[in-house]
């Protein structure tokens, strides 16, 4: 089985699943759901298999590469590969999709709902695995379509507006990226002598300083919208709030990561000079995102919007760490991408469960849930603490690494960003207090306890939260080689660690 | 004076031109089919008129056979009539597109005509004549031949646009199309006469040898401008687009499909012939002109489309805007990305033909039930006609340029052409195009929204019954749209090697 094209299968299995589900009869919703879950579980299993086959250590280059030519005339190929940066994002995708399918209910038209989710999975997998600029662009665009229909077809009241806003924003971003990709490729053609969209080959080309900066911006806009980096974030609260539960889970869990992943893989990879040049800008935007997201989250009346704005803040941390250019901070960023996917995904699932039971997400309508549903409250607390970044849980490891690593190269930004950690405690704990504490009124008295099925869906996420918090080493061991390679590639002057400097002075 | 002229004509011996019958076979087959349709119409009873559409359909496919044999025959180019008529790989490719698009239009027309009780014999006669004009346009390399082909394809189209003669809108459609079309022809003829006057030849190659950047006489510049304006009408480029929405809305829907795809493609083919053969060194004149036209065409078409509530009218503006995208590569023709631009345009035409014809097939199918052309009549289409809903979504997504459907290959090629030109003009045009492809989603998305997210109007969820010919058209277009997107090699292997 050594030659089995496992990465290709990761993309094709969910795509085939979407096709199979689309061709099934809609008269048997149970069978449709079973098929959908089946295909996503197989994909999840494949992603775990990838995790097993991944070689720890090494020089951080791509593994399990699968390369074929697709459009020869234009130098476009089917080139997939995985390294430490994408490895856990792929695993996260593999785990989160079956959970989202199982943990939420479409309420109507389950067949297209399941088919769209599987197509989304194929798109997301493809985006994380592509090493060909064009292939990446194709998957990056494909992702938009199912999400548009998921929000618009199965969301809440203002779903149509939210869906269109989401689509137009992200598509505008990627339109600039398309121009950027083509320009990059045709400028590189002059140096490389042949036309190619292959990322590995394109990295050998170097661009004139001003050209590189323009191209960097063309790529960065697409990714900044996706992350979203302040001030491109305004689509996110609407999309998250109006999306059905599975949509929010996947949007926050994996789709936002396409943005930060894209920055690391493509913007950093292709234009190191411009990345260094724009560093202060992105550090500042990251910090603004942290503070702005936190402050706005505090003010929200809708529980789902609180979680949505908390995403803006968390993604701000990830951007901050990425642009710190130290091994520690970038590793922290990559780890935090996974952490955010897990804990925010779980938070959205829990909020979805509350909304299923109470048909409202207004904080003022919810009260005293802790006394009627203690286990539910306990699970919510654990996930919330992970999102706040309490030591012993996963969020802490990522945030701590980001702050420490960033402190070395961007001291004042870190000082301001650290305030975000406190604000996170403020808005989440305050929301928790209002929803779970106190005596339940009439409407909330009948709030039912966590069901076994719901518990089973949440269990893997809770496991990851605790495991990563206690023992992050296995993950970091796999992330670090690729991150170190990237940091070397960006070539930002590395500070001596304070301890080493002190020892050197003696 | 006159007598000497006449005398010299009499004296010059007439030698009949050498005719390559193989090269002319597609045109000859088509001409034969046209005569067959006309004759059969005379002798068929009213109840057997359906035979005509079958003859027309198979005739178009029969004309496709010599195209294949010519393509594999190995000759790069067969030139006839002193270079006025050339059959090369490029012309074979566009002829193939015209014939297949024509075949789909015949499929679309079949039930529309039978149920609407229209004059079938004349309809197919005119349709085939128009297609013959387009096929001739593919090979025309002479001002006079181009003009003859243009009129050959246009005059039947004027009549077809007004085919529903008891409907005022259809009359308006035909009249408007006719008057503006003739006006454009006049402007173009004037331009051609200026070009002939300046260069002394009507053969495009000869003109190309005489016109050089920097050393052109004002007369020649004016000639180029007028000729391009004439064809700008044909491809409904802004500011010469006003006829399109009214004509598209009033004409019978299969004819609207025909006009928006084949007739528009013929206009582009003529522009390619002129620009690549006659003005390759006239970039100073035509590049800025076409660049501005492309940018304003796609922008205005998009912005107007956003406001439409009638589907066909929305698609009329969409087709104007798509025309802008096809013009985009022409704006850099003549420079170093000339070859890329040619590939891009021909690829775009093929993809656009498959996608847009497919969308019109859906419109015809849905309006069989709803009897309405309003956007809201598509509400909840997916819930009662899932296959039509999915196909319509695929065609719309392809027009919006979303992979893996054909549209992205077309848009990609167009962007590639302008960016490889390496000029600031090219980059600016690419950015305008990129922004426009997002605006376009505003209205393509609104149709998708109706299909998937809106309730069914009046709760009428009776399924739609589509006749088999319409089904065939849907399958051909759907298959082609998907195939061109997933394996673009099938069109690129042809469009990449063509040269002019």
């Amino acid at each position: 089985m050594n030659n089995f094209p496992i990465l290709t299968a990761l993309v094709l299995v969910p795509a085939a699943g979407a096709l199979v589900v689309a061709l099934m009869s809609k008269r048997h919703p149970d069978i449709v759901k079973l098929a959908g879950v089946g295909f996503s579980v197989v994909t999840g299993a494949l992603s775990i298999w990838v995790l097993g086959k991944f070689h720890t250590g090494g020089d951080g280059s791509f593994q399990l590469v699968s390369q074929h030519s697709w459009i020869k005339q234009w130098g476009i190929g089917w080139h997939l590969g995985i390294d430490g940066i994408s490895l856990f994002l792929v695993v996260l995708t593999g785990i989160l999709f079956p959970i989202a399918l199982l943990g939420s209910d479409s309420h109507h038209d389950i067949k297209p709902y399941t088919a769209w989710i599987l197509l989304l999975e194929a798109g997301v997998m493809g985006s994380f695995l592509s090493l060909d600029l064009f292939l990446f662009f194709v998957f990056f665009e494909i992702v938009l379509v199912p999400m548009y229909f998921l929000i618009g077809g199965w969301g809440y009241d203002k779903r149509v507006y939210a869906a269109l806003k989401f689509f137009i924003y992200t598509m505008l971003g990627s339109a600039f990226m398309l121009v950027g990709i083509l320009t990059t490729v045709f400028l590189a053609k002059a140096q490389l002598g042949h036309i190619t969209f292959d990322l590995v080959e394109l990295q050998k080309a170097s661009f004139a300083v001003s050209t590189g900066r323009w191209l960097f911006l063309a790529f960065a806009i697409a990714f900044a919208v996706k992350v979203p980096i302040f001030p491109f974030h305004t689509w996110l609260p609407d999309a998250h709030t109006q999306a059905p539960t599975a949509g929010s889970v996947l949007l926050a869990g994996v789709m936002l990561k396409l943005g930060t992943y894209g920055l690391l893989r493509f913007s950093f990879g292709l234009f190191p000079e411009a990345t260094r040049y724009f560093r202060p800008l992105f550090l500042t935007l990251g910090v603004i995102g942290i503070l702005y997201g936190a402050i706005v989250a505090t003010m929200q009346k809708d529980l789902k919007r609180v979680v949505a704005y908390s995403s803006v803040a968390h993604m701000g941390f990830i951007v901050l760490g990425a642009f710190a250019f130290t091994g520690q901070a970038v590793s922290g960023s990559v780890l935090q991408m996974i952490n955010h996917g897990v804990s925010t995904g779980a938070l959205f699932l829990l909020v979805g469960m509350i909304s299923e039971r109470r048909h409202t997400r207004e904080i003022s309508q919810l009260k005293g849930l802790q006394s009627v549903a203690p286990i539910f409250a306990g699970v919510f607390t654990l996930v919330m603490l992970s999102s706040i970044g309490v030591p012993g849980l996963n969020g802490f490891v990522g945030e701590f690494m980001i702050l420490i690593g960033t402190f070395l190269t961007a001291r004042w930004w870190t000082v301001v960003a650290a305030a975000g950690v406190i604000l996170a405690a403020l808005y989440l704990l305050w929301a928790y207090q209002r929803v779970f504490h106190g005596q339940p009124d009439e409407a909330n008295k009948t709030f039912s306890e966590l069901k076994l099925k719901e518990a089973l869906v949440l269990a893997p996420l809770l496991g990851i939260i605790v495991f990563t918090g206690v023992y992050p080493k296995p993950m970091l061991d796999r992330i670090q080689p690729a991150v170190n390679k990237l940091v070397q590639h960006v070539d930002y002057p590395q500070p001596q660690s304070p301890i080493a400097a002190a020892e050197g002075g003696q | 004076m006159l007598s000497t002229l006449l005398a010299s004509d009499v004296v010059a011996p007439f030698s009949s031109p050498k005719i390559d019958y193989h090269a002319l076979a597609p045109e000859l087959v088509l001409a034969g089919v046209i005569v067959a349709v006309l004759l059969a119409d005379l002798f068929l009873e009213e109840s057997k008129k359906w035979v005509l559409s079958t003859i027309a359909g198979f005739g178009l496919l029969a004309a496709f056979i010599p195209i294949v044999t010519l393509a594999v025959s190995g000759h790069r180019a067969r030139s006839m009539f002193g270079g006025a008529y050339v059959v090369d790989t490029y012309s074979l490719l566009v002829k193939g597109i015209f014939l297949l698009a024509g075949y789909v239009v015949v499929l679309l027309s079949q039930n529309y005509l039978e149920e609407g009780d229209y004059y079938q014999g004349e309809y197919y006669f005119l349709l085939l004549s128009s297609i013959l004009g387009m096929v001739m346009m593919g090979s025309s390399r002479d001002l006079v031949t181009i003009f003859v082909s243009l009129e050959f394809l246009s005059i039947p189209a004027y009549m077809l646009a007004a085919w529903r003669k008891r409907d005022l809108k259809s009359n308006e459609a035909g009249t408007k199309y006719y008057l503006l079309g003739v006006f454009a022809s006049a402007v173009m003829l004037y331009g051609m006469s200026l070009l002939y006057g300046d260069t002394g030849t009507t053969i495009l190659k000869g003109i190309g040898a005489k016109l050089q950047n920097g050393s052109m006489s004002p007369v020649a510049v004016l000639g180029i401008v007028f000729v391009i304006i004439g064809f700008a009408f044909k491809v409904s480029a802004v500011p010469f687009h006003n006829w399109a929405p009214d004509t598209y809305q009033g004409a019978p829907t299969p004819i609207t499909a025909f006009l928006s795809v084949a007739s528009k493609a013929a206009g582009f083919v003529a522009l390619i012939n002129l620009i690549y053969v006659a003005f390759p060194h006239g970039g100073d004149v035509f590049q800025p002109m076409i660049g501005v036209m492309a940018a304003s065409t796609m922008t205005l078409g998009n912005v107007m489309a956003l406001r439409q509530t009638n589907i066909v009218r929305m698609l009329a503006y969409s087709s104007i805007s798509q025309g802008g995208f096809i013009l985009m590569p022409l704006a850099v023709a003549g420079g170093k990305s000339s070859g890329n631009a040619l590939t891009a345009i021909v690829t775009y035409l093929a993809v656009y033909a498959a996608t847009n014809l497919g969308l019109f097939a859906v419109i015809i199918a849905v309006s069989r039930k709803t009897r309405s052309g309003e956007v809201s009549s598509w509400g909840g289409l997916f819930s009662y006609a899932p296959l039509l809903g999915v196909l319509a979504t695929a065609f719309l997504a392809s027009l919006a340029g979303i992979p893996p459907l054909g549209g992205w290959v077309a848009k990609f090629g167009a962007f590639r052409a302008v960016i490889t030109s390496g000029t600031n003009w090219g980059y600016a045009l690419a950015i305008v195009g990129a922004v426009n492809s997002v605006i376009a989603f505003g209205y393509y998305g609104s149709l998708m929204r109706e299909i998937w997210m809106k309730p069914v109007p009046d709760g009428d969820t009776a399924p739609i019954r589509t006749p088999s010919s319409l089904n065939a058209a849907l399958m051909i277009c759907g298959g082609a749209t998907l195939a061109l997107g997933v394996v673009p090699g099938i069109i690129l292997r042809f469009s990449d090697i063509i040269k002019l």
Side-chain angles (χ1 to χ4, degrees):
Chain A
M1 292 289 271
N2 268 331
N3 294 324
F4 181 69
I6 179 166
L7 297 188
T8 307
L10 271 177
V11 181
L12 293 186
V13 168
L19 194 67
V20 169
V21 168
L23 294 176
M24 286 169 84
S25 157
K26 63 177 166 192
R27 254 170 263 146
H28 308 290
D30 292 343
I31 301 178
V32 169
K33 182 153 186 172
L34 192 69
V37 172
F39 275 103
S40 66
V41 166
V42 170
T43 317
L46 283 172
S47 73
I48 303 284
W49 189 22
V50 169
L51 185 62
K53 286 188 79 159
F54 190 84
H55 291 289
T56 315
D59 61 351
S61 54
F62 294 105
Q63 305 188 16
L64 302 169
V65 174
S66 142
Q67 192 164 14
H68 306 278
S69 87
W70 175 26
I71 308 173
K72 246 183 267 156
Q73 292 91 337
W74 291 349
I76 297 175
W78 174 271
H79 189 184
L80 304 181
I82 196 164
D83 69 352
I85 296 174
S86 53
L87 174 66
F88 288 101
L89 290 168
V90 167
V91 177
L92 176 71
T93 309
I95 294 175
L96 219 46
F97 270 84
I99 289 182
L101 264 176
L102 280 169
S104 67
D105 188 351
S106 67
H107 294 291
H108 60 93
D109 290 324
I110 187 163
K111 192 180 103 165
Y113 176 84
T114 314
W116 284 130
I117 288 190
L118 287 172
L119 185 62
L120 181 68
E121 181 166 21
V124 172
M125 282 291 186
S127 310
F128 283 139
L129 294 172
S130 301
L131 297 182
D132 182 283
L133 254 62
F134 199 79
L135 197 61
F136 172 76
F137 179 78
V138 170
F139 285 122
F140 197 75
E141 290 279 282
I142 286 181
V143 164
L144 295 185
V145 181
M147 198 35 116
Y148 171 75
F149 286 112
L150 282 174
I151 298 177
W154 287 270
Y156 294 92
D157 304 338
K158 283 196 278 173
R159 57 177 188 268
V160 174
Y161 163 78
L164 191 64
K165 191 171 176 183
F166 159 76
F167 199 100
I168 297 281
Y169 258 76
T170 20
M171 200 168 165
L172 190 66
S174 40
F176 284 103
M177 184 166 72
L178 177 63
V179 176
I181 288 178
L182 293 174
T183 315
T184 307
V185 167
F186 297 123
L187 289 178
K189 187 186 170 194
Q191 296 177 34
L192 300 173
H194 60 283
I195 185 167
T196 177
F197 281 79
D198 197 305
L199 178 70
V200 183
E201 297 230 2
L202 285 173
Q203 279 182 348
K204 292 175 198 153
S206 62
F207 302 96
V209 172
S210 70
T211 320
R213 288 175 186 170
W214 280 109
L215 291 174
F216 175 87
L217 282 182
F219 278 79
I221 286 177
F223 298 135
V225 170
K226 200 78 160 190
V227 172
I229 295 177
F230 180 91
F232 300 109
H233 65 281
T234 56
W235 64 267
L236 180 133
D238 287 316
H240 270 82
T241 318
Q242 301 302 329
T245 300
S248 312
V249 170
L250 300 174
L251 202 53
V254 290
M255 278 182 64
L256 301 188
K257 276 74 199 179
L258 288 178
T260 37
Y261 169 78
L263 278 174
L264 289 175
R265 177 76 81 223
F266 298 99
S267 302
F268 284 33
L270 289 169
F271 315 108
E273 194 281 336
T275 310
R276 293 195 299 274
Y277 177 77
F278 286 110
R279 174 175 180 266
L281 175 69
F282 279 86
L283 286 174
T284 312
L285 290 179
V287 170
I288 292 178
I290 296 172
L291 297 180
Y292 173 87
I295 293 169
V296 179
T298 321
M299 306 297 157
Q300 297 305 315
K301 299 190 179 78
D302 180 333
L303 198 53
K304 212 170 175 186
R305 271 185 108 84
V306 174
V307 184
Y309 274 106
S310 83
S311 280
V312 177
H314 281 117
M315 296 312 284
F317 268 109
I318 297 171
V319 172
L320 180 76
F323 278 85
F325 303 147
T326 59
Q328 218 166 9
V330 179
S331 301
S333 265
V334 174
L335 187 63
Q336 191 65 1
M337 284 191 226
I338 315 299
N339 294 337
H340 174 256
V342 172
S343 39
T344 309
L347 271 182
F348 273 122
L349 276 174
L350 287 163
V351 173
M353 291 169 190
I354 293 180
S355 138
E356 285 281 297
R357 288 169 162 80
R358 289 282 289 102
H359 301 287
T360 179
R361 301 178 316 251
E362 290 290 314
I363 295 179
S364 57
Q365 302 279 315
L366 302 162
K367 200 162 181 268
L369 299 185
Q370 194 171 358
S371 61
V372 287
I375 303 178
F376 190 95
V379 171
F380 198 98
T381 311
L382 182 77
V383 176
M384 175 188 70
L385 291 178
S386 132
S387 182
I388 294 174
V390 170
L393 300 176
N394 62 349
F396 173 75
V397 183
E399 266 178 25
F400 188 69
M401 285 180 68
I402 291 176
L403 288 174
I404 274 201
T406 313
F407 191 77
L408 296 174
T409 54
R411 184 161 303 178
W412 289 106
W413 281 287
T414 320
V415 171
V416 183
V421 183
I422 304 163
L423 286 172
L426 176 74
Y427 61 79
L428 279 171
L429 285 176
W430 193 39
Y432 181 82
Q433 219 173 31
R434 284 179 288 168
V435 171
F436 286 90
H437 286 180
Q439 287 304 314
D441 50 21
E442 276 308 309
N444 289 312
K445 262 196 180 129
T446 50
F447 192 88
S448 56
E449 186 50 285
L450 196 68
K451 295 186 194 78
L452 180 65
K453 188 196 148 204
E454 291 169 338
L456 286 177
V457 167
L458 285 166
L461 297 180
L462 300 181
I464 298 173
I465 286 176
V466 175
F467 180 80
T468 316
V470 178
Y471 190 53
K473 188 171 175 298
M475 284 174 79
L476 290 174
D477 282 348
R478 288 171 174 78
I479 292 172
Q480 258 155 358
V483 165
N484 288 338
K485 192 179 170 204
L486 184 69
V487 170
Q488 271 173 16
H489 181 71
V490 173
D491 195 24
Y492 186 77
Q494 293 294 316
Q496 278 191 308
S497 89
I499 300 162
E503 278 171 355
Q506 275 167 4
Chain B
M1 176 77 191
L2 194 67
S3 58
T4 49
L5 262 180
L6 283 172
S8 68
D9 257 7
V10 173
V11 172
F14 177 80
S15 63
S16 77
K18 219 173 111 250
I19 293 178
D20 182 345
Y21 285 102
H22 190 194
L24 286 178
E27 287 85 344
L28 294 175
V29 171
L30 214 45
V33 175
I34 291 174
V35 175
V37 167
L38 205 52
L39 285 179
D41 185 41
L42 290 177
F43 300 111
L44 277 175
E45 292 168 36
E46 203 53 46
S47 62
K48 295 224 173 97
K49 295 280 190 197
W50 57 269
V51 175
L52 295 171
S53 65
T54 317
I55 300 178
F58 280 107
L60 285 166
L61 292 184
F64 193 77
I65 297 171
I67 297 219
V68 177
T69 60
L70 281 168
V72 297
S73 73
H75 287 272
R76 298 287 297 175
R78 297 154 182 263
S79 179
M80 277 167 283
F81 310 115
Y85 204 84
V86 179
V87 177
D88 52 12
T89 46
Y90 155 78
S91 69
L92 286 176
L93 186 55
V94 296
K95 283 174 186 186
I97 296 175
F98 288 137
L99 289 174
L100 291 182
Y103 177 67
V104 174
V105 172
V106 169
L107 288 178
L108 295 183
S109 311
Q110 205 166 349
N111 286 77
Y112 191 93
L113 286 178
E114 283 169 18
E115 285 158 26
D117 197 22
Y118 297 119
Y119 308 91
Q120 297 193 41
E122 294 84 345
Y123 178 93
Y124 289 112
F125 164 69
L126 290 174
L127 185 67
L128 289 173
S129 306
S130 187
I131 295 170
L132 177 56
M134 293 169 184
V135 170
M136 282 159 56
M137 185 63 93
S139 286
S140 302
R141 301 285 193 280
D142 172 276
L143 290 180
V144 178
T145 323
I146 286 184
F147 183 73
V148 170
S149 310
L150 180 73
E151 295 304 302
F152 208 148
L153 75 90
S154 296
I155 292 171
Y158 300 145
M159 288 186 260
L160 288 171
W163 206 245
R164 297 184 301 157
K165 64 179 182 185
R166 289 177 207 86
D167 183 359
L168 274 181
K169 281 227 159 114
S170 189
N171 289 336
E172 183 196 345
T175 318
K176 215 166 197 171
Y177 188 29
Y178 169 68
L179 286 178
L180 286 170
V182 175
F183 176 60
S185 296
V187 172
M188 183 170 52
L189 264 186
Y190 185 49
M192 285 179 171
S193 67
L194 291 179
L195 282 177
Y196 176 59
D198 189 63
T199 58
T201 173
T202 59
I203 300 286
L204 298 189
K205 216 171 207 148
I207 298 175
K210 295 241 168 89
L211 296 181
Q212 297 289 340
N213 271 335
S215 63
M216 253 183 273
S217 70
V219 171
V221 172
L222 216 54
I224 295 178
V225 170
F226 279 172
V227 169
I228 290 179
I229 286 180
F231 283 105
F233 270 99
K234 204 74 216 159
V235 301
S236 57
V238 172
F240 311 107
H241 65 287
N242 342 41
W243 61 271
D246 292 331
T247 302
Y248 285 8
Q249 197 182 355
T253 321
I255 291 306
T256 308
F258 181 66
L259 292 181
S260 74
V261 171
S263 166
K264 180 173 260 197
F268 277 110
V269 166
L271 272 178
I272 294 174
N273 293 351
L274 283 164
I275 285 179
Y276 275 85
V277 186
F279 323 139
H281 310 296
D284 287 356
V285 181
F286 72 79
Q287 279 184 358
M289 185 177 164
I290 290 186
V292 171
M293 236 157 39
S296 49
T297 302
M298 53 182 132
T299 312
L300 198 89
N302 268 338
V303 173
M304 295 296 290
L306 284 174
R307 302 172 31 187
Q308 305 304 321
T309 57
N310 179 295
I311 297 178
V312 176
R313 230 180 144 73
M314 182 187 276
L315 281 187
Y317 282 108
S318 134
S319 126
I320 291 176
S321 142
Q322 298 279 347
F325 276 100
I326 313 178
L327 273 178
M328 193 163 84
L330 263 187
V332 296
K336 66 175 174 179
S337 63
S338 244
N340 286 341
L342 184 60
T343 310
I345 300 167
V346 177
T347 312
Y348 209 118
L349 289 176
V351 172
Y352 174 71
T355 308
N356 224 36
L357 286 174
L359 197 51
F360 273 103
V362 177
I363 292 177
I364 292 173
V366 175
S367 67
R368 282 168 64 85
K369 176 193 165 180
T370 61
R371 300 276 155 217
S372 157
E374 293 304 301
V375 171
S376 57
S377 72
W378 277 28
L381 180 64
F382 176 75
S383 63
Y384 63 91
L387 186 62
L388 281 178
V390 168
L391 279 172
T393 310
F395 294 133
L396 289 167
S398 171
L399 284 178
I402 295 169
L405 298 151
W408 79 260
V409 182
K411 289 234 159 69
F412 179 89
F415 282 121
R416 179 174 89 127
V418 286
I419 287 173
T420 42
S421 75
T423 57
N424 288 339
W425 265 95
Y427 291 128
L429 211 49
I431 289 173
V432 174
V435 172
N436 266 297
S437 58
V438 180
I439 301 177
F441 188 79
Y443 53 93
Y444 295 133
S446 78
L447 277 176
M448 291 191 206
R449 219 154 52 221
E450 289 293 335
I451 297 171
W452 290 82
M453 304 170 196
K454 292 284 170 71
V456 183
D458 308 330
D460 177 12
T461 57
I464 295 178
R465 287 188 55 240
T466 45
S468 56
S469 60
L470 208 50
N471 273 336
L474 282 168
M475 289 308 128
I476 293 173
C477 295
T481 305
L482 187 65
L484 288 172
V486 177
V487 205
I490 49 182
I491 177 80
L492 291 180
R493 59 177 295 192
F494 299 116
S495 60
D496 235 18
I497 54 164
I498 53 177
K499 269 193 200 71
L500 270 173

